Amino acid sequence: MMGAVLVVLFLISGLRVEADGSDHKYKERDHVPLYANKVGPFHNPSETYRYYDLPFCSPDHVKEKREALGEVLNGDRLVSAPYQLSFRVDKQSETLCKKKLPKEDVVKLRTAITKDYYFQMYYDDLPVWGFVGKVDRENKLDPSDYKYLLFKHFHFEVLYNNDNVIEINAEPDQNSAVDITEDVDTNVEFSYSVKWRETEIPFEKRMEKYSKSSSMPHHLEIHWFSIINSCVTVLLLTGFLATIFMRVLKNDFIKYSHDEESLDDQEETGWKYIHGDVFRFPKHKSLFSAIIGSGTQLLALAIFIFFLALVGVFYPYNRGALFTALVVIYALTSGIAGYTATSTYLQFEGTNWVRNLLLTACLFCGPLFLTFCFLNTVAIVYTATAALPFGTILVILLIWTLVTSPLLVLGGIAGKNSRAEFQAPCRTTKYPREIPQSPWYRGTIAQMAMAGFLPFSAIYIELYYIFASVWGHKIYTIYSILFIVFIILIIVTAFITVALTYFQLAVEDHEWWWRSVLCGGSTGVFIFGYCLYYYHARSDMSGFMQTSFFFGYMACICYGFFLMLGTVGFRASLLFVRHIYRSIKCE
């Protein structure tokens, strides 16, 4: 219980992030909190560094802001910024500091400008961005003639409504930029100006500015085209399956009922022929049960995340809310994995349910933990903010120890005590029949390719926007459309797996268990293939750190999709197989 209380506290502290606990109301000349967050290459969203890793002006005493779990996981490291932007106080040209930049700092800043470094700050919880400088390429064909300009003056324009800050923008004064092309000591006077303007936008709608880009008419058209494309896929597949099940199965049922009325002198063919083998439990039943348990948990996790998104928890720049929710809900749903895996394993007449429970605990968390260890080491070497502090790692381990593991065990005990028997309409024979030789296109790989392509084609348009949000600087806010696409993905996966299972049984291949999981989960392989395409054709990511982060974490996400959709494929196939064998008389 203590662990559950701990998790709830994290959920409360992480999902609604406020600035210093204030109510966002200020009087004239009041101090408004401004925090510098991070700097990094614009095209490498995972490669971010602490703000003062670059030789910017810093206050006398740099204060670090206490952050929630999700903010730290997001790579946020907020520190006090030197700018003084008091409420409704205009400033013309305020000197921030005068610095003599040695050659080493000039080289560091020039490298940052070359890589399109940007900085990010938060002013009263509103994000502020700006570029460190720019490369002047105008009328210069030879790269050696390029000029590297450092922005030394920023103009802040702040909009307010009564006693609330509504919007903030930062624009560099490009005319006063300092040339740092040469490796020489450079004197720089950093400065800023502030202009306050009144607006009629209410405080409640101040975040809408950041979600407008994803809901612009031409973007919405693409999203709706994606849904229509997906719906057409579903309708075609539904019609195709309806034809099969209404005509082919009907004929099968009539044929088999006639066979039963005859003197049984005819030899049985087709899927009825293997009724004594179709419910023979799969090989490697412990691993199979663990996959079903983990996949069911991930499906529950996805549904809960969508629920939070649809009620508006993940509004733009609610820093770390998604990461906090993922950690917390994954911990709380571990009981589902324990219950499903153990009950499935015992239905398969398994004997060592404890070992099965350990396998379930490690099946998804194990690869994720190993990937995290490698990527965190890379981030430490790069001194990037993606490297988690020891305290945060300890908190995650405590959540895993005090919440995830106990709930997994409790779920396993509940699954053991449920004592549910496997409902098989047909009695399984003692010895398995030999499976006839099949052509290559009925093999596992070919069927996985067919099974994965249709669900992937239903979601691939939406994938670009998700990738641009997770691995770029776009904001995804149309969760209702994403939820519809997710439901379509589940339906298409279930339908196509059922169709392929029928074709497999029709050629008297009774080993459908693993095939249904592999066919259902094959969409995860297609999504990873899209990752390769996106990295090379749609993004400008580069460098070892960004590449390893992108492929490392996307491999884990695709593996999660494999487990989740594999479970959906198996559940749909199991319902179908039970239905058709219940409809005929099996001796």
Side-chain angles (χ1 to χ4, degrees), residues 183-197:
D183 290 347
V184 293
D185 295 355
T186 307
N187 292 308
V188 182
E189 181 180 336
F190 291 96
S191 58
Y192 67 102
S193 55
V194 188
K195 178 69 176 175
W196 287 82
R197 288 198 300 110

Side-chain angles (χ1 to χ4, degrees), residues 268-306:
E268 291 179 333
T269 56
W271 52 267
K272 189 190 174 187
Y273 179 60
I274 54 171
H275 63 78
D277 297 278
V278 76
F279 293 105
R280 192 179 304 282
F281 298 136
K283 298 172 184 175
H284 314 296
K285 59 183 74 171
S286 183
L287 176 60
F288 189 91
S289 304
I291 288 174
I292 301 306
S294 297
T296 306
Q297 179 189 7
L298 292 171
L299 183 61
L301 171 67
I303 291 168
F304 279 122
I305 289 293
F306 271 116

Side-chain angles (χ1 to χ4, degrees), residues 69-134:
L69 173 66
E71 293 177 279
V72 180
L73 293 175
N74 196 37
D76 290 344
R77 301 292 185 271
L78 273 66
V79 292
S80 54
Y83 301 96
Q84 296 295 322
L85 275 61
S86 301
F87 192 69
R88 293 180 59 181
V89 176
D90 290 349
K91 294 183 178 179
Q92 286 302 320
S93 186
E94 189 85 3
T95 299
L96 200 60
C97 72
K98 294 178 181 179
K99 293 194 79 164
K100 182 175 183 179
L101 299 174
K103 283 189 290 186
E104 298 78 19
D105 285 350
V106 169
V107 171
K108 186 185 286 188
L109 285 166
R110 189 167 65 244
T111 304
I113 293 168
T114 306
K115 294 181 178 179
D116 285 332
Y117 265 53
Y118 71 100
F119 65 81
Q120 186 188 45
M121 297 181 180
Y122 282 96
Y123 183 65
D124 189 42
D125 270 359
L126 291 169
V128 191
W129 299 272
F131 282 97
V132 173
K134 73 167 187 177

Side-chain angles (χ1 to χ4, degrees), residues 330-381:
Y330 183 83
L332 294 177
T333 53
S334 56
I336 296 173
Y339 176 84
T340 309
T342 303
S343 61
T344 305
Y345 180 66
L346 293 176
Q347 283 178 38
F348 290 164
E349 299 173 0
T351 53
N352 196 339
W353 69 276
V354 176
R355 188 180 67 181
N356 172 249
L357 206 57
L358 287 171
L359 181 59
T360 306
C362 299
L363 192 68
F364 183 70
C365 283
L368 184 64
F369 178 72
L370 292 174
T371 304
F372 163 74
C373 288
F374 171 71
L375 296 179
N376 205 55
T377 305
V378 171
I380 290 169
V381 171

Side-chain angles (χ1 to χ4, degrees), residues 23-24 51 62 68 81 89 112 154 229 237 240 262 355 388 433 449 499 530 536 547 560 575:
D23 58 1
H24 299 283
Y51 182 77
V62 177
V89 176
F154 278 89
N229 170 61
L237 199 55
F240 176 63
S262 68
R355 188 180 67 181
L388 294 190
R433 293 181 186 271
Y530 182 82
H536 290 290
T547 303
L575 282 171

